[in-house]
Amino acid sequence: MDEFMQAAIAEAKQGLNEGGIPIGSILVKDNAIIGQGHNQRVQAQDPVTHAEIDCLRNAGRIGNYKDTVLYSTLMPCYLCAGAVVQFGIKKVIAGESQTFPGAREFMESHGVEVIDLDLAECKQLMSDFIANNPQLWNEDIGV
């Protein structure tokens, strides 16, 4: 596992420690982290502060996103996939998609390369959270 996914996992764990949903995201450009974030829907009482959105906000305006890579511990949902497509991010690396399939086909249909690492650590983090917090998880995914 590379340093960027490790940083995304650290973000996810930070979110969990704050009482939130354990999903983390990192934005990389020129082999350096330029943004990072984690799901803060619970902490911020904001329904759209998903990890990827928090990460993009923290990266700030960078002009062009075509040479960036977005890492996320979980396959991005349609909200976050929409941001990926809107900003022209061409590559997304997800930690896993077993606990939530996300919007992979949507991103790929818009020319985004999507890699699913299928990492046991990411799956365990989410499956434990979902088992312990089913109502909160269902709220997060709109069920």
Side-chain angles (χ1 to χ4, degrees):
M1 178 184 343
D2 70 23
E3 65 185 287
F4 303 125
M5 186 53 72
Q6 289 175 345
I9 291 170
E11 283 288 330
K13 289 178 179 177
Q14 179 180 341
L16 181 62
N17 290 337
E18 294 171 355
I21 299 164
I23 304 168
S25 185
I26 301 293
L27 188 65
V28 175
K29 184 172 185 171
D30 298 326
N31 210 32
I33 294 172
I34 62 169
Q36 56 195 53
H38 53 274
N39 187 302
Q40 295 197 48
R41 292 184 69 254
V42 174
Q43 303 92 308
Q45 295 295 306
D46 180 351
V48 295
T49 307
H50 288 201
E52 298 86 349
I53 301 301
D54 188 45
C55 175
L56 290 169
R57 282 180 176 155
N58 290 331
R61 291 182 59 222
I62 66 167
N64 190 313
Y65 293 80
K66 71 176 182 166
D67 294 324
T68 63
V69 178
L70 184 73
Y71 285 75
S72 182
T73 57
L74 185 65
M75 187 65 69
C77 68
Y78 280 95
L79 170 70
C80 299
V84 166
V85 170
Q86 178 69 31
F87 292 119
I89 297 169
K90 295 298 182 193
K91 187 173 187 177
V92 171
I93 300 176
E96 66 105 351
S97 64
Q98 183 177 322
T99 60
F100 180 73
R104 180 179 190 149
E105 289 179 9
F106 171 80
M107 291 185 286
E108 289 175 336
S109 75
H110 286 85
V112 178
E113 178 186 0
V114 180
I115 298 170
D116 183 350
L117 298 176
D118 194 35
L119 296 173
E121 184 175 8
C122 292
K123 289 187 281 193
Q124 191 68 54
L125 194 60
M126 283 309 303
S127 60
D128 289 349
F129 178 81
I130 292 166
N132 293 324
N133 303 278
Q135 284 185 304
L136 184 55
W137 175 244
N138 286 338
E139 177 188 321
D140 191 62
I141 60 172
V143 175

